[in-house]
Amino acid sequence: MNQDSLGLKIAKIVVFAISIFLVVYGHTEIGYPYLGMELLGLTGILLLLWQYNRKYV
């Protein structure tokens, strides 16, 4: 079983926090740049979910 190192776990938490921030902040403003921020945050969250679920497929 492959265990993530502490540094990789911390990096994933940081990416998750930044992604959530981008989604929430982009949602509070109006305009295409903020829509892009939301989509970038959503992409980060989906990539983390894909990476987590990859070992179960």
Side-chain angles (χ1 to χ4, degrees):
M1 183 177 221
N2 189 5
Q3 296 290 330
D4 290 338
S5 67
L6 181 61
L8 188 57
K9 287 180 183 180
I10 292 173
K12 288 178 184 179
I13 291 170
V14 169
V15 169
F16 179 74
I18 290 171
S19 297
I20 292 293
F21 171 77
L22 287 173
V23 170
V24 170
Y25 183 72
H27 186 71
T28 61
E29 302 293 331
I30 298 173
Y32 289 117
Y34 300 106
L35 177 62
M37 287 175 62
E38 285 185 75
L39 292 174
L40 186 63
L42 179 62
T43 302
I45 293 169
L46 288 175
L47 285 174
L48 287 173
L49 283 171
W50 171 78
Q51 194 275 332
Y52 174 77
N53 286 322
R54 183 173 54 158
K55 59 187 168 192
Y56 298 113
V57 175

